[in-house]
């Protein structure tokens, strides 16, 4: 027997605001909104979702789990996300082929370079 990946939960000081930010970033939609959780998905019937739950304290350390995004155009996507409120962060990544950003609450994520086409 195996499990189905239902969701990834994100602690947030303002779950509704952060959920909406990620929904816009990913082209997702809010499928559930309650005071104790806001869930976004690509579509209501498609898993997994991202669930944002309230916490009183802010983020203090580097994430132990993060999202990797792979756009068709990394430079344009980084610019779009920064315009939306993301910021560049240095987590000690050095000289790499991806860009590390943080969402409005400081959660790091990576924007990867375009995938090479297989011939």
């Amino acid at each position: 027997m195996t499990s189905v990946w239902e969701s990834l939960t994100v602690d947030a000081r303002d779950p509704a605001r952060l959920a909406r930010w990620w929904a816009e970033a990913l082209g997702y939609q809010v499928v559930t909104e309650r005071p104790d959780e806001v869930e976004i998905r690509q579509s209501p019937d498609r898993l997994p979702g991202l669930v944002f739950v309230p916490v009183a304290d802010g983020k203090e350390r580097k994430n132990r789990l993060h999202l990797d995004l792979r756009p068709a155009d990394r430079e344009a996507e980084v610019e779009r996300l920064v315009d939306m409120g993301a910021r560049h962060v240095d987590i000690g990544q050095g000289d790499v082929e991806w860009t590390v950003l943080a969402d409005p609450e400081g959660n790091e994520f990576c924007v990867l370079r375009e995938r090479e086409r297989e011939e």
Side-chain angles (χ1 to χ4, degrees):
M1 179 180 239
T2 61
S3 296
V4 173
W5 178 17
E6 176 80 15
S7 63
L8 175 69
T9 301
V10 179
D11 292 346
R13 295 199 71 165
D14 187 342
R17 179 176 166 259
L18 194 58
R20 283 182 174 62
W21 189 89
W22 276 103
E24 182 178 347
L26 298 171
Y28 280 29
Q29 58 186 281
V30 174
V31 295
T32 303
E33 184 166 0
R34 296 191 304 260
D36 63 336
E37 81 173 30
V38 180
E39 182 176 5
I40 66 171
R41 296 183 187 176
Q42 283 183 320
S43 62
D45 59 340
R46 186 156 182 201
L47 296 174
L50 289 172
V51 177
F52 298 83
V53 297
V55 294
D57 52 335
K59 182 179 165 306
E60 295 181 15
R61 294 182 179 83
K62 176 184 173 287
N63 294 0
R64 300 227 17 203
L65 181 70
H66 69 268
L67 297 178
D68 287 342
L69 308 180
R70 188 176 303 275
D73 181 335
R74 182 180 62 192
E75 288 182 24
E77 183 66 352
V78 167
E79 183 177 339
R80 180 182 80 91
L81 293 166
V82 168
D83 287 347
M84 288 174 50
R87 62 185 168 79
H88 290 268
V89 292
D90 183 351
I91 56 169
Q93 66 268 24
D95 187 23
V96 293
E97 295 182 350
W98 57 86
T99 302
V100 181
L101 298 176
D103 71 17
E105 289 202 11
N107 300 299
E108 299 93 3
F109 63 98
C110 295
V111 182
L112 307 175
R113 65 180 170 78
E114 300 77 11
R115 185 174 297 278
E116 294 181 19
R117 296 189 186 267
E118 295 181 23
E119 308 224 7

